[in-house]
Amino acid sequence: MTQYAGLRELAELIRRLEPELAGAQLSILAHENKEEIATMLVEGLGTKVPVQHSSGEYANHLAILRVGANKYTFAQDWREVYISEVNYCACRIPPGAHGLLVHHIDYPGVIYDVSRKLAEYQINVSKLNVSREQKGKNALLISVTDEEITPTIVSAIEELPQITKVLSLQ
């Protein structure tokens, strides 16, 4: 199995998160193995997307996928490949991860509210990242969990104030 095999699974995750891939663009940032990286991502997306190749080398970043207004950055370290950024929010989403993306309007207590809901369902958070455009504006909470996020949990979190969209990583 290739060191980039997890990219296919990560691209399949994005295909579930982004049902409309028309207009998507893929930029390969890696200096080496550009074709293999592009092939894994395109296969996972399940559709042809334009692929651009960068002329530089970007530390551990492998590629960027732009879908509509959303941007997903793929990276690799000595352990694994992973999604390192969703839009403006740094994160670490490895292949096969459980968790959720919570799009919301920034407000004090969002971390408490989402964590409390997850705790009610006995869901343990392993990683949590929060980022916002600016105070009181669009924000994103990314939670990677030990347990699977069910549709019931998604619905419970969607009922919280100022939540605009909740997406499960499953």
Side-chain angles (χ1 to χ4, degrees), residues 33-61:
N33 305 312
K34 291 179 180 220
E35 294 305 320
E36 182 181 3
I37 292 166
T39 298
M40 293 288 180
L41 290 169
V42 170
E43 285 176 2
L45 293 171
T47 187
K48 290 264 187 200
V49 296
V51 178
Q52 300 173 347
H53 293 278
S54 165
S55 60
E57 190 171 336
Y58 297 86
N60 64 341
H61 289 123

Side-chain angles (χ1 to χ4, degrees), residues 137-155:
K137 300 292 182 184
N138 290 329
L140 178 62
L141 180 148
I142 301 172
S143 177
V144 177
T145 62
D146 294 335
E147 294 80 21
E148 185 173 336
I149 303 296
T150 65
T152 302
I153 298 167
V154 169
S155 295

